């Protein structure tokens, strides 16, 4: 607020005079003051009531209930004056003027306040008045700060006043103004502290045309070291600004005004959630956004960066047309580079300031001490630890300043430059024509991915296995009909084929039903049934019986096939249903060609096509076929399995009854990825059922409806739907 001599309006001059008399404690009651100005009494009364309303609003917005009075600390402060006062224990009850006799004009200078004689006013703030005083019992000159009185004295002010005194009293550092005593006397809340002869940093910034780079860095380095001491003692300042940094006659700094301090150890604070406390130009974004209760050490570090910015450029980083505008910029706008306001700022110093002014507290210096170390390194010409923002990050910060982009990403753009607005206009034009562009692009892409590839790869299977035979025959027909390059790669079986499809290493692959268990895969066509063949050898088994009890498998090793084969997966499902655990009957992964070796188990569970040459050869070498017990129960447990029989004609010479050998069967499918080209799937299906058939056991296409619950490729589903009545 302007001083009386600066005021042009008589009402403003009178109101300023009232405020000054309140600060000096020389005013009586409000009515007595208004009586001196009868011609403007009504206007002055309205101003006083407005100030009262503003003060009540500030308290209500803080969301904090009145705390218990903060008593002086016996360890750090002499509390004799507090003890001498008999006015009561609650500071709110002893506000200036609250318990004065009517007509008491209050203190006039010089004024005796216990052992202090107040001599002259040396400073005023929003909450208190600082006097130069003589401490009579120690014969020393000190500063005494008293809370403002009159209409501006409120309970929140008292809490802040005692918070400042108690916070500063617990700190002992040459860069922090020491507090000697605090308490209340004759209705006046006060505390005494060292008197610093000199000026404050804000006045130096205002009075000097430009602070030298070195002086600015040195001032903030020393402030950072003092704040590091406060942080180590669990005290946050939360209102760091140039006006709160005193510079003595020896050019040394001293931090004062801990009125908004927060004790991290007790989580005490004069504000609550929802209050934006501090000075807008220098407060951290988390404070400006109304979350002062979330302030951390990094909040003070942001303020240190803003102070350094002001020392170098002569102005804070972000300045709005109003307090609200400034707060919005602090929360949402990135700070400009210092070089936009002062040419020739060293790159390292700009990097240090940018790190302090990061919006995210985690990106700032982890401590004020680390900031001081980097400023020391800058002053001594050593490399700093902070790193500048990369060009991509700088570009992103500029791009996010475009109003439309900011709205999309949740960043509020307070103001935009002409460049941002031109870019937005071009972007809106692109958005307007983009639907037509993307529709055309989508049509081209769809045509491309659905067309026949120039080179097709099919997965096979184990050497001399049925999968290899099928894939080789499909490849041959594709080459002849489409004139494209087709390759068949040998694999380890169903599970290997599944992974190759997922990795896009192949276009089509035969595999057992249990392997098609990923949403990215689908069925092209059912190929043939694979039957579980339980084979045994040795004298322990009855050659005249096709039956075997599950108990006979217990305690014996069982060969279940190569690791990547579908046969191994089917064998595991069968054994689990029979409650034959691997702990009791170890499952041996072994290649089928090794079954006749001495180290091979005497039991094998093989899932292959009926009439497989592998089974024929094993039977010729002395192995016996046995029925799978409880086949119906097993099929109930596993939907991909079904009870089936092995026909006696398939393996001539084997003692299979004419009714067949009970077993479990599964289906081998030709599978693909869901996004497989439609032209490839269509051509493969037409060639698959083209006469002569690829192999005798191929499941007829009209029977594909039996697997209608399976997830078919869209082209395959349409193909089978249109040929459902074709039984040729």
């Amino acid at each position: 607020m302007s001083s009386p001599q600066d005021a042009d309006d008589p009402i403003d001059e009178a109101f300023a005079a009232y405020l000054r008399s309140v600060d000096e404690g020389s005013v009586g009651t409000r009515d007595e003051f208004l009586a001196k100005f009868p011609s403007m009494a009504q206007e002055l009364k309205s101003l006083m009531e407005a100030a009262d309303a503003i003060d009540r609003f500030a308290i209500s917005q803080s969301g904090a209930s009145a705390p218990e009075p903060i008593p002086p600390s016996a360890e750090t402060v002499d509390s004799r004056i507090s003890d001498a006062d008999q006015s009561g224990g609650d500071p709110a009850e002893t506000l200036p003027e609250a318990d004065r006799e009517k007509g008491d004009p209050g203190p006039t200078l010089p004024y005796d306040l216990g052992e202090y004689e107040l001599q002259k006013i040396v400073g005023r703030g929003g909450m208190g008045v600082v006097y130069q005083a003589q401490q009579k019992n120690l014969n020393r000159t000190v500063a005494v700060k008293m809370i403002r009185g009159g209409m501006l004295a409120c309970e929140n002010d008292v809490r802040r006043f005692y918070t400042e005194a108690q916070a500063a009293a617990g700190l002992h550092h040459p860069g922090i103004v020491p507090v000697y005593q605090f308490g209340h006397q004759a209705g006046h809340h006060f505390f005494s502290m060292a008197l610093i002869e000199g000026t404050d940093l804000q006045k130096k910034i205002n009075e000097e045309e430009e602070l030298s780079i070195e002086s600015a860095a040195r001032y903030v380095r020393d402030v950072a070291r003092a704040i590091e001491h406060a942080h180590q003692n669990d005290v946050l300042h939360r209102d760091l600004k140039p006006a709160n940094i005193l510079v003595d006659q020896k050019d040394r700094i001293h931090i004062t005004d801990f009125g908004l301090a927060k004790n991290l150890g007790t989580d005490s604070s004069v504000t609550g959630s929802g209050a934006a406390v501090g000075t807008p130009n220098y407060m951290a974004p988390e404070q400006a956004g109304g979350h002062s209760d979330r302030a951390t050490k990094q909040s003070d570090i942001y303020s240190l960066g803003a102070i350094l910015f002001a020392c170098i450029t002569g102005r804070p980083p972000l300045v709005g047309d109003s307090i609200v505008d400034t707060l919005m910029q602090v929360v949402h706008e990135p700070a400009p580079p210092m070089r936009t306001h002062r040419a020739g700022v060293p790159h390292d110093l700009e990097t240090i300031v940018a790190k302090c002014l990061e919006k995210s507290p985690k990106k700032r210096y982890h401590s004020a001490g680390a900031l001081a170390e980097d400023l020391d390194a800058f002053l001594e010409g050593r490399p700093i630890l902070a790193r500048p923002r990369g060009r991509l990050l700088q570009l992103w910060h500029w791009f996010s300043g475009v109003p439309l982009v900011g709205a999309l990403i949740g960043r509020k753009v307070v103001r935009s430059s002409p460049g941002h607005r031109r870019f937005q206009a071009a972007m809106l034009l692109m958005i307007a024509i983009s639907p037509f562009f993307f529709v055309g692009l989508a049509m081209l892409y769809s045509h491309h991915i659905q067309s026949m590839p120039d080179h097709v790869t099919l997965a096979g299977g184990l050497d001399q296995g049925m999968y290899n035979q099928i894939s080789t025959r499909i490849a041959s027909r594709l080459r002849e009909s489409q004139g494209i390059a087709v390759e068949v790669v040998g694999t380890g079986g169903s599970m290997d084929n599944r992974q190759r499809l997922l990795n896009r290493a192949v276009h089509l692959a035969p595999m057992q039903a249990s392997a098609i268990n990923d949403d990215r895969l689908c069925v092209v066509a059912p190929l043939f049934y694979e039957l579980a063949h339980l084979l045994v050898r040795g004298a322990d088994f009855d050659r005249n019986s096709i039956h075997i009890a599950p108990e006979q498998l217990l305690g014996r090793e069982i060969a279940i096939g190569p690791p990547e084969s579908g046969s191994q997966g089917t064998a595991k499902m069968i054994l689990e249903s029979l409650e034959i655990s691997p702990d009791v009957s170890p499952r041996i992964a072994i290649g089928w060609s090794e079954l006749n070796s001495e180290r091979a188990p005497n039991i094998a569970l093989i899932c292959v096509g009926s009439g497989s040459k592998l089974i024929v050869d094993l039977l010729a070498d002395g192995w016996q076929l046995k029925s799978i017990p409880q086949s119906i129960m097993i099929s109930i447990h596993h939907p991909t399995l079904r009870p089936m029989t092995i026909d006696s004609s398939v393996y001539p010479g084997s003692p299979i009854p004419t009714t067949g050998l009970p077993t479990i069967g599964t289906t081998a499918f030709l599978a693909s990825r869901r996004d497989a080209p439609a032209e490839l799937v269509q051509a493969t299906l037409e060639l698959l059922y083209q006469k002569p058939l690829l192999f005798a056991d191929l499941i007829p296409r009209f029977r594909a409806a039996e697997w209608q619950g399976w997830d078919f490729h869209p082209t395959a589903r349409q193909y089978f739907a249109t040929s459902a009545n074709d039984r040729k």
Side-chain angles (χ1 to χ4, degrees), residues 191 247 287 328 416 470 498 517 562 594 603 680:
F191 64 82
V247 184
Q287 293 174 268
M328 294 293 287
S416 57
I470 293 172
R498 171 185 179 277
N517 56 1
E594 302 177 59
I603 303 175
L680 173 61

Side-chain angles (χ1 to χ4, degrees), residues 368-541:
L371 169 59
E373 289 296 327
D374 249 7
L375 287 171
D376 252 344
F378 166 75
L379 290 168
E380 296 171 7
R382 295 184 285 110
I384 63 173
L385 295 178
R387 289 292 173 262
R389 294 172 176 170
R391 292 190 178 276
L392 285 177
L393 184 58
Q394 294 179 32
L395 179 62
W396 169 248
H397 282 165
W398 185 92
F399 186 66
S400 62
V402 177
L404 181 60
V405 176
L408 291 175
I409 65 175
R411 171 186 165 184
K412 186 174 182 61
V413 179
V414 180
R415 60 184 65 193
S416 57
S417 66
H420 283 122
R421 291 192 290 272
R422 286 193 296 270
F423 183 86
Q424 176 168 282
M427 191 168 64
L428 289 172
L429 177 61
M430 290 296 296
I431 292 174
I433 65 174
S434 61
F436 305 100
F437 173 78
F438 285 114
V439 166
L441 190 63
M443 292 176 64
L444 288 174
Y445 178 73
S446 176
H447 175 73
H448 171 71
I449 64 172
Q450 296 301 325
S451 60
M452 180 70 71
D454 295 331
H455 184 279
V456 175
T457 304
L458 277 64
L462 298 172
D463 289 342
Q464 300 180 350
M466 195 67 178
Y467 289 177
N468 258 340
Q469 296 177 30
I470 293 172
S471 294
T472 299
R473 293 170 186 174
I474 292 174
S476 176
R477 289 190 175 183
L478 279 173
R479 291 190 198 100
E480 294 175 2
S481 65
Q482 303 297 319
I484 58 174
V486 185
E487 176 188 9
V488 177
V489 294
T491 69
S494 291
M495 300 309 295
D496 190 5
N497 289 354
R498 171 185 179 277
Q499 195 58 47
R500 289 173 188 258
L501 278 177
L502 292 175
N503 294 340
R504 298 183 183 275
V506 298
H507 293 89
L508 301 169
M511 63 179 68
Q512 284 186 12
S514 59
I516 310 175
N517 56 1
D518 191 287
D519 291 341
R520 291 167 290 179
L521 303 182
C522 60
V523 171
V524 172
L527 293 176
F528 58 90
Y529 298 113
E530 291 192 304
L531 306 181
H533 295 71
L534 180 59
L535 295 108
V536 299
R537 66 177 178 179
D540 294 343
F541 301 98

Side-chain angles (χ1 to χ4, degrees), residues 120-364:
K120 65 177 181 179
I121 295 175
V122 294
R124 289 190 182 90
M127 185 180 70
V129 185
V130 181
Y131 298 87
Q132 177 180 309
Q134 187 71 20
Q135 189 173 6
K136 292 177 286 189
N137 63 341
L138 295 179
N139 192 27
R140 65 178 176 181
T141 302
V142 297
V144 172
K145 186 169 185 178
M146 295 178 63
I147 198 167
R148 291 175 68 107
M151 69 174 186
L152 296 182
C154 65
E155 190 173 353
N156 198 48
D157 287 340
V158 177
R159 293 201 308 272
R160 285 182 54 184
F161 191 78
Y162 274 91
T163 296
E164 176 179 3
Q166 192 172 39
L171 303 175
H172 306 284
H173 189 277
I176 298 175
V177 177
V179 168
Y180 300 140
Q181 295 178 325
F182 67 88
H184 46 87
Q185 176 76 9
H188 298 288
H189 296 273
F190 77 95
F191 64 82
S192 63
M193 55 188 170
L195 179 66
I196 305 299
E197 300 283 355
T199 184
D200 63 61
L201 189 54
Q202 185 62 60
K203 290 179 181 177
K204 289 184 74 70
I205 293 172
N206 294 341
E207 294 169 0
E208 299 187 23
E209 184 175 346
E210 274 189 354
L211 281 178
S212 70
I213 298 291
E214 291 73 18
S215 294
R218 177 172 55 82
Y219 285 145
V220 177
R221 177 202 62 188
D222 294 344
V223 174
R225 285 177 174 160
I227 288 299
E228 175 67 11
H229 171 77
H231 289 175
Q232 289 177 353
N233 286 274
D234 291 334
V235 174
L236 301 182
H237 192 288
R238 297 201 303 175
D239 194 22
L240 286 171
K241 56 185 177 182
N244 287 341
I245 299 170
L246 305 180
V247 184
D248 65 20
Q249 295 175 343
K250 295 184 179 180
D251 210 28
R252 297 172 301 193
I253 62 92
H254 305 270
I255 303 173
T256 186
D257 197 350
F258 282 78
L260 296 180
K262 177 180 180 179
N263 190 308
L264 295 174
T266 62
D267 197 28
S268 64
S269 172
V270 296
T271 60
S273 178
V277 298
T279 303
N281 302 104
Y282 297 96
M283 66 172 59
E286 55 271 23
Q287 293 174 268
H291 300 292
S292 293
D293 58 323
R294 302 179 190 173
T296 64
K297 297 175 182 179
Q298 280 65 41
S299 303
D300 281 349
I301 291 170
Y302 181 97
S303 300
L304 291 172
I307 292 170
L308 183 51
F309 190 105
C311 289
I312 298 295
T313 66
R315 50 154 283 167
L318 297 164
V319 180
D321 297 331
S322 64
I323 291 178
V324 173
D325 186 31
T326 300
L327 290 173
M328 294 293 287
Q329 288 192 46
V330 169
V331 173
H332 299 290
E333 294 293 320
M338 288 194 293
R339 294 184 184 185
T340 60
H341 299 287
R342 180 173 176 176
V345 176
H347 182 70
D348 278 358
L349 192 61
E350 197 161 51
T351 299
I352 290 172
V353 171
K355 185 173 180 65
C356 292
L357 298 181
E358 288 282 2
K359 296 299 182 189
S360 170
K362 294 180 180 179
K363 295 182 179 179
R364 301 171 202 155

